[in-house]
Amino acid sequence: MKKSFSFLFAIMISIFSFTSSVAASTNSFEDYPEVNNPYTTEPPAPVSLVEKYINLGTHQIYTNIQGKVFENRPTVVFEAGFGHDSTAWRYVQPVIAQRTLTVSYDRSSLGKSDATPIGSSRDAVGIATELHQILEALQVPKPYILVGHSMGGNYVRVFQGLYPDEVAGIVSVDGTVDTFEKDILLPYFDHDFLFNEYIPASDAGQEIGLGDYEDMIYSNAQAYGFRPSLADLPLFVLSSQKQMMPYSQMDEAIAEYIDLDRIDLRWHELQAELAAESTKGTFLIAEDSAHEINLYRPDIVISAISQILDQAT
């Protein structure tokens, strides 16, 4: 039986981001990580919060700047996962901002930013190029430490590949593996569901300016192509213990289509392989966390960023 469009689009979001929500405010399930989570504590008040809109000619992008400039300290730049905006970093950014300047932003069609202009590229190269324009307009100090969650992990890796001299390190927060189609989709998804329902539903993202299935595949390939540039870059790769928690209604809804247990094991292997691409790579499984480590275990993300920051200063 075919599922409703809303169900399939939720599935698409969950597998792009391996999460049951597009953002906290639109979560349709009741397992969101901030509920009764002992690891989520009220973050400190933002340090020197500045909100700016950057005019890119065709649209405006919202940016959230916290912290202050310290001599010889990189600026930490946050890139949220597919379908998420800058609020994804609400437990992490204010803490890191106590040590250095930080920037988060809403990609187009998300949060407080304008809609994506028709014809804009939503693959990793297009998004990384746009982020570079934003940072140049903000005139924040270089180099950057880039922190990317989920698909944002590939976006920041492509940014580093395009602008290697501007990046001092990367923290990949359960970043989407760059061989996702070959190593996750094809082996562990029911093929009838994948080709007849999942991929067509994925393409619906284009209708709201987020990109489609083809953009995801291109983004993964672009990130894979820049693997050699990770050679000696400080790199911290976080992998969630499970992609979805067993009590998740989303987990129950897709159990007949996706082998989640085997995906978890393979996911850890692939994340460890990514960390090994750099001689300065570190790999860690985030215990007691599903895909949104920034919300389930912000303490682990903060620790990883701090370690990369220490290496870069």
Side-chain angles (χ1 to χ4, degrees), residues 111-158:
K112 300 178 182 178
S113 291
D114 289 346
T116 304
I118 295 174
S120 295
S121 175
R122 291 288 88 189
D123 62 12
V125 168
I127 288 171
T129 302
E130 186 168 286
L131 175 57
H132 189 258
Q133 291 178 283
I134 293 165
L135 295 174
E136 289 291 307
L138 289 173
Q139 297 184 324
V140 294
K142 301 171 186 175
Y144 312 120
I145 290 175
L146 305 177
V147 183
H149 170 245
S150 195
M151 281 300 292
N154 282 345
Y155 300 157
V156 300
R157 286 176 50 205
V158 169

Side-chain angles (χ1 to χ4, degrees), residues 16 56 58-61 79-84 105-110 113-134 151-152 154-155 158 202-220 222:
F16 267 67
L56 296 179
T58 54
H59 59 298
Q60 292 197 106
I61 294 293
E79 182 74 77
F82 182 87
H84 290 243
Y105 77 111
D106 297 343
R107 291 189 300 274
S108 58
S109 290
L110 292 169
S113 291
D114 289 346
T116 304
I118 295 174
S120 295
S121 175
R122 291 288 88 189
D123 62 12
V125 168
I127 288 171
T129 302
E130 186 168 286
L131 175 57
H132 189 258
Q133 291 178 283
I134 293 165
M151 281 300 292
N154 282 345
Y155 300 157
V158 169
S202 300
D203 290 335
Q206 187 68 32
E207 298 176 13
I208 54 176
L210 301 182
D212 56 17
Y213 180 79
E214 188 174 79
D215 288 318
M216 181 192 74
I217 298 304
Y218 284 160
S219 295
N220 294 340
Q222 291 158 358

Side-chain angles (χ1 to χ4, degrees), residues 40-244:
T40 300
T41 59
E42 190 67 26
V47 178
S48 304
L49 171 63
V50 176
E51 298 175 291
K52 290 185 178 180
Y53 285 87
I54 300 301
N55 191 335
L56 296 179
T58 54
H59 59 298
Q60 292 197 106
I61 294 293
Y62 168 82
T63 64
N64 181 304
I65 306 159
Q66 298 181 34
K68 59 182 180 179
V69 175
F70 290 89
E71 187 176 359
N72 298 322
R73 289 191 190 177
T75 300
V76 175
V77 179
F78 295 94
E79 182 74 77
F82 182 87
H84 290 243
D85 60 26
S86 57
T87 62
W89 304 108
R90 56 190 171 275
Y91 297 108
V92 177
Q93 186 177 4
V95 178
I96 299 300
Q98 295 178 323
R99 295 193 58 188
T100 192
L101 192 68
T102 67
V103 178
S104 61
Y105 77 111
D106 297 343
R107 291 189 300 274
S108 58
S109 290
L110 292 169
K112 300 178 182 178
S113 291
D114 289 346
T116 304
I118 295 174
S120 295
S121 175
R122 291 288 88 189
D123 62 12
V125 168
I127 288 171
T129 302
E130 186 168 286
L131 175 57
H132 189 258
Q133 291 178 283
I134 293 165
L135 295 174
E136 289 291 307
L138 289 173
Q139 297 184 324
V140 294
K142 301 171 186 175
Y144 312 120
I145 290 175
L146 305 177
V147 183
H149 170 245
S150 195
M151 281 300 292
N154 282 345
Y155 300 157
V156 300
R157 286 176 50 205
V158 169
F159 184 107
Q160 187 272 334
L162 293 173
Y163 313 102
D165 295 337
E166 299 181 12
V167 179
I170 289 176
V171 177
S172 177
V173 183
D174 219 34
T176 301
V177 294
D178 52 25
T179 56
F180 185 70
E181 186 176 44
K182 175 176 72 73
D183 287 325
I184 300 295
L185 287 181
L186 293 176
Y188 302 119
F189 278 54
D190 175 84
H191 283 193
D192 182 66
F193 172 74
L194 173 64
F195 292 106
N196 295 324
E197 301 194 47
Y198 169 76
I199 292 177
S202 300
D203 290 335
Q206 187 68 32
E207 298 176 13
I208 54 176
L210 301 182
D212 56 17
Y213 180 79
E214 188 174 79
D215 288 318
M216 181 192 74
I217 298 304
Y218 284 160
S219 295
N220 294 340
Q222 291 158 358
Y224 184 86
F226 281 121
R227 276 196 178 201
S229 69
L230 298 173
D232 58 359
L233 183 78
L235 171 67
F236 206 121
V237 178
L238 294 173
S239 184
S240 62
Q241 181 181 8
K242 295 183 69 68
Q243 292 304 313
M244 297 180 192

